Each structure stands twice: as structure tokens, then as C-alpha cells.
Amino acid sequence: MNAASVHHDVRRHILDTARPIIGSKGFSAVGLNEILCAAEIPKGSFYHYFASKEAFGEALLEQYFTAYLARIDGLLEQREGTAGTRFMTYLGQWRDAHVAGTVHDHCLAVKLGAEVCDLSERMRLILQDGATAVVDRLARFIVAGRQDGSLPVAEEARPLAAAVYQLWLGATLLAKFTRDRQPFDDAMAATRRMLGLPA
């Protein structure tokens, strides 16, 4: 294994270790020493892998969206079931992950969105681009569902996809206040109405 490969693997290990910690505590509240200790990386070596904490945050968000978009792409590319069924599967997985308490592994966008947008313009742009990419994929579900007859909606796909995404981001935030699944159940019911699906 060459030095570049080792460097990449260690860098990814730091990001993988930090993700649930920051997902739980937030970006500003987590110090570099906590991350390095959890990753079992010698203190002082952080800047060998990242130019700054901000650069680390950028890499963390980029990794998060890369993995998140890949999961959506996997559902989009499936041939089993209708597009409408796969779209609702995506939303069901979103709800179930949060209800099960695995939110730290799934929603850095909600956890860090309000915090880092005021701290780093570059991190804000990564969040913006990531959200745009999610909405683009949700719009593809709607277009495919309209084509196969599983989503009987006449509205333009992308604005509808944006509204659905915004609804679920809001439900995720509200669920932090209520600490129960009701916001997700309400979001699911509203989404079904928006998509012309039976309750």
C-alpha cells in the first residue's frame, strides 16, 4: 500500500469516526482532540490530513452528501416496484432512521445546517449544493412515477420535489423538539396528499 493510499484511508477513518460525534454534539462543540482520541490518531497529526477545522468540516459534509446521494441513486436505479413505491420507501427509511435513534448517521444536513452556515461560506455552499442534488433526484422519482402511473400528480416535478424535501427537513427539526414520531407521521400523510396517493 503506497503512502497516498494510507493517507486517504486515515483521512477517511477520521471522517467516519467524527461523523456520529459531530452528528450528536454539533460542529463547534467538538474539539479536534476529541475526534483524534476517538479515531486513535496521534494528537498533532490532524493538520497532516486537513488544512483547518473548516476544511475538515467541508470534507465531512462532502462525504455525507456523497453517501446520501448514492443511497437515493440506488433506489432510483432499482427495477423492482414502481417509482412511487420506491419514493415512499425512501421517505419511510428517512422516518424510520430517525425514529430508531440513528439520526446521527443520517442527517448532518439538519444537525449542522443552521450552525455552520453562519460560520463558513464554503460549508454553506456544500449544504446548498447537496440539497439541490437531493431535490433533483426526488424530482426524478416524481417524473418516473408519473410515467409509470404510480404517482398521479400534474404539478411540475421539481417544485413539488422541493416542497416535499422542505416538508421533511422541517419534520426532522420538529421531531427534535417533540422527541416522538408524530412530525414524521404528519409529513408522510401530507406527502401522500401532495402526490395524489391514498391515505
Side-chain angles (χ1 to χ4, degrees), residues 65 68-69 125-135 137 165:
F65 276 113
Y68 190 80
L69 294 171
L125 289 173
I126 293 170
L127 283 161
Q128 176 181 294
D129 290 345
T132 297
V134 171
V135 171
R137 284 159 171 78
Y165 187 55

Side-chain angles (χ1 to χ4, degrees), residues 9-85:
D9 288 348
V10 173
R11 191 174 189 272
R12 184 173 60 187
H13 172 63
I14 294 171
L15 291 170
D16 289 343
T17 302
R19 181 170 160 177
I21 299 172
I22 290 178
S24 175
K25 297 182 177 180
F27 185 73
S28 299
V30 176
L32 298 182
N33 284 343
E34 181 176 358
I35 294 169
L36 293 173
C37 286
E40 298 182 340
I41 301 296
K43 294 179 181 179
S45 64
F46 177 85
Y47 295 105
H48 180 65
Y49 302 103
F50 303 97
S52 63
K53 189 179 180 185
E54 182 178 348
F56 162 75
E58 294 167 11
L60 188 70
L61 287 173
E62 287 170 345
Q63 183 199 55
Y64 163 75
F65 276 113
T66 296
Y68 190 80
L69 294 171
R71 288 198 297 272
I72 302 177
D73 288 340
L75 284 171
L76 277 167
E77 293 164 6
Q78 281 182 12
R79 291 293 176 256
E80 294 182 7
T82 66
T85 297

Side-chain angles (χ1 to χ4, degrees), residues 174-193:
L174 187 57
K176 289 180 175 292
F177 305 159
T178 63
R179 295 190 182 276
D180 61 31
R181 63 177 290 150
Q182 192 60 50
F184 294 112
D185 291 342
D186 292 344
M188 185 66 81
T191 301
R192 296 188 71 87
R193 290 193 297 270

Side-chain angles (χ1 to χ4, degrees), residues 106-127:
H106 290 272
C107 213
L108 280 185
V110 171
K111 181 66 179 182
L112 300 187
E115 177 187 1
V116 302
C117 286
D118 294 330
L119 298 176
S120 165
E121 177 64 7
R122 174 60 185 153
M123 291 173 74
R124 184 192 70 78
L125 289 173
I126 293 170
L127 283 161

